[in-house]
Amino acid sequence: MQKSKAVTIQRHIVEQERLFPKATGDFTGLLWDLTLAAKTISREVNKAGLAEILGLTGEVNIHGDAVKKLDVYANERICKSMEHGGHLCVMASEENEDVIPIPDEFPKGKYVLMFDPLDGSSNIDANVSVGTIFSIYRRKTTGRDATIEDCLRKGMEQVAAGYIVYGSSTMMVYTTGQGVHGFTLDPSVGEFLLSHENIEIPSKGKIYSINEGNAHTWDEGTRRYIAYLKENDPSTSRPYSLRYIGSLVADFHRNLLYGGIFLYPADYKDPKKPKPKLRLLYEANPLAFIVEQAGGMASTGKERILDIQATELHQKVPLIIGSKEDVLLYEKFFNQK
Ligand code: P6P
């Protein structure tokens, strides 16, 4: 890991903004508001294990505040942190059925924020890493109010994407199309400090991440690919190691740094009606933008994730993402007749 240059994320964002001569600072403000929400969620996630001890399990906590499930808390925290800054025209969340309009009392901006507030939250009680994933687009419509059309986009239109992983430390990883950069939260000063500049994913890994318990639902190509990875052939760096946390951000983050492939293929029990699980707008698109910026690849097996035109807010897609050579090889197996 590179030595931290004690560059805060705020300073890094300003430096990134300087790369865009026409930038107005609006984008910088948006990302700053997001980092504040991240710090607040990190504090709550890290306290979660103390719920019993701190008396946070009742309807009302020791401060008299209503206690919420952490994913509900994270969702509300992001909405409250982002709605008043004047940077956004609309938001959409994995937790909300419909788009989230900016309240009339607040100024509207030119950006769209879509997010998964706390992915993997079912793992919280076991103290497993969880994460927030976000995606930013420029507004597309020109009417008075933004609409769902501003959210139903192709991932290639993103202007920024990132995630916060709440693990042994809290890290924020983001891209604005100028490479991928990681920041580690120093809780003693409450700042995200640059710890991983210009992250590049190895072109080929030795790790595969998939829920082997779903093997009975896999298509033939996926089945043959996973069997191939498990064959003993040191000349082609096989067998691979299976690493599967069951928390997308944690699995993705490890593979981004070490190399490897994460697979969540569709359930093919009914070959005529494949059923994917992960969401295009809140999970696949932001991670696909990040991995491509880091030199990797993200595919459904058939097509590039970032080329998919979203038609529904909660549209699901198969997600095969990670080291380029590994994803390319998967595509060969998946498309073999
Ligand atoms: P499974 C968590 O619920 C999640 O959405 C992702 O974070 C994770 O990668 C996936 O689902 C795990 O799903 O079916 O393997 O438990």
Side-chain angles (χ1 to χ4, degrees):
M1 179 167 76
Q2 287 188 3
K3 192 168 61 60
S4 158
K5 297 178 182 170
V7 173
T8 64
I9 194 165
Q10 279 80 352
R11 187 174 135 204
H12 192 272
I13 293 167
V14 168
E15 286 168 0
Q16 289 273 304
E17 178 107 45
R18 286 200 192 113
L19 300 174
F20 301 93
K22 286 193 234 107
T24 62
D26 195 13
F27 189 57
T28 296
L30 196 177
L31 285 174
W32 284 7
D33 291 347
L34 209 48
T35 54
L36 178 61
K39 292 176 193 173
T40 314
I41 294 168
S42 173
R43 183 193 61 206
E44 291 307 308
V45 165
N46 290 329
K47 229 166 38 184
L50 297 171
E52 293 293 330
I53 300 165
L54 294 181
L56 298 180
T57 49
E59 283 308 304
V60 173
N61 70 15
I62 47 177
H63 306 295
D65 307 325
V67 179
K68 302 181 182 83
K69 272 169 57 70
L70 270 173
D71 48 1
V72 173
Y73 171 82
N75 198 42
E76 290 176 359
R77 187 68 262 147
I78 293 172
C79 291
K80 290 279 170 264
S81 298
M82 300 309 295
E83 64 185 5
H84 62 274
H87 311 300
L88 299 175
C89 56
V90 69
M91 290 187 265
S93 166
E94 196 257 354
E95 294 285 329
N96 291 56
E97 193 56 39
D98 299 316
V99 299
I100 305 164
I102 302 301
D104 289 341
E105 67 261 36
F106 297 130
K108 310 294 183 290
K110 61 186 175 197
Y111 293 105
V112 177
L113 173 68
M114 295 195 267
F115 57 94
D116 183 350
L118 205 63
D119 182 82
S121 54
S122 57
N123 291 299
I124 283 239
D125 295 344
N127 207 17
V128 169
S129 299
V130 292
T132 298
I133 312 172
F134 65 89
S135 196
I136 300 170
Y137 298 77
R138 271 198 196 79
R139 179 177 179 177
K140 195 165 83 170
T141 61
T142 52
R144 191 179 78 91
D145 295 327
T147 70
I148 191 169
E149 290 317 307
D150 291 297
C151 299
L152 299 180
R153 311 289 285 271
K154 281 188 178 182
M156 65 170 68
E157 298 172 52
Q158 291 174 92
V159 292
Y163 59 85
I164 299 95
V165 52
Y166 309 101
S168 50
S169 62
T170 293
M171 267 197 76
M172 183 159 174
V173 175
Y174 87 108
T175 183
T176 58
Q178 307 292 323
V180 177
H181 311 284
F183 300 79
T184 301
L185 182 64
D186 178 343
S188 65
V189 294
E191 289 289 0
F192 279 105
L193 300 179
L194 182 65
S195 53
H196 297 68
E197 191 169 23
N198 283 316
I199 297 173
E200 290 180 353
I201 186 169
S203 59
K204 187 176 184 301
K206 279 209 66 176
I207 291 171
Y208 75 101
S209 308
I210 193 168
N211 183 340
E212 289 261 11
N214 293 337
H216 63 292
T217 71
W218 296 342
D219 59 280
E220 192 46 37
T222 299
R223 212 189 307 280
R224 282 187 291 105
Y225 174 71
I226 298 298
Y228 171 82
L229 294 186
K230 292 155 93 169
E231 285 167 5
N232 184 20
D233 177 354
S235 70
T236 55
S237 308
R238 290 177 295 145
Y240 275 36
S241 296
L242 171 59
R243 293 287 182 274
Y244 191 71
I245 301 169
S247 190
L248 174 59
V249 173
D251 279 316
F252 174 81
H253 182 67
R254 179 208 48 247
N255 291 358
L256 180 72
L257 297 182
Y258 296 171
I261 184 168
F262 173 94
L263 309 98
Y264 211 108
D267 174 332
Y268 268 80
K269 278 202 290 290
D270 177 354
K272 293 193 187 65
K273 279 172 64 187
K275 282 192 197 144
K277 169 172 183 175
L278 299 180
R279 288 175 169 77
L280 175 61
L281 291 175
Y282 312 107
E283 295 167 318
N285 271 342
L287 298 184
F289 185 22
I290 291 166
V291 84
E292 286 199 5
Q293 280 290 310
M297 200 171 158
S299 161
T300 62
K302 285 200 179 78
E303 62 183 314
R304 179 184 180 227
I305 291 286
L306 295 183
D307 288 340
I308 300 171
Q309 172 60 54
T311 54
E312 291 164 32
L313 275 182
H314 296 279
Q315 183 170 340
K316 298 177 180 179
V317 289
L319 180 61
I320 316 297
I321 188 168
S323 296
K324 182 173 278 191
E325 287 179 42
D326 292 303
V327 175
L328 285 170
L329 183 61
Y330 172 84
E331 289 187 331
K332 282 206 181 89
F333 276 85
F334 182 75
N335 295 298
Q336 226 159 27
K337 293 301 164 220

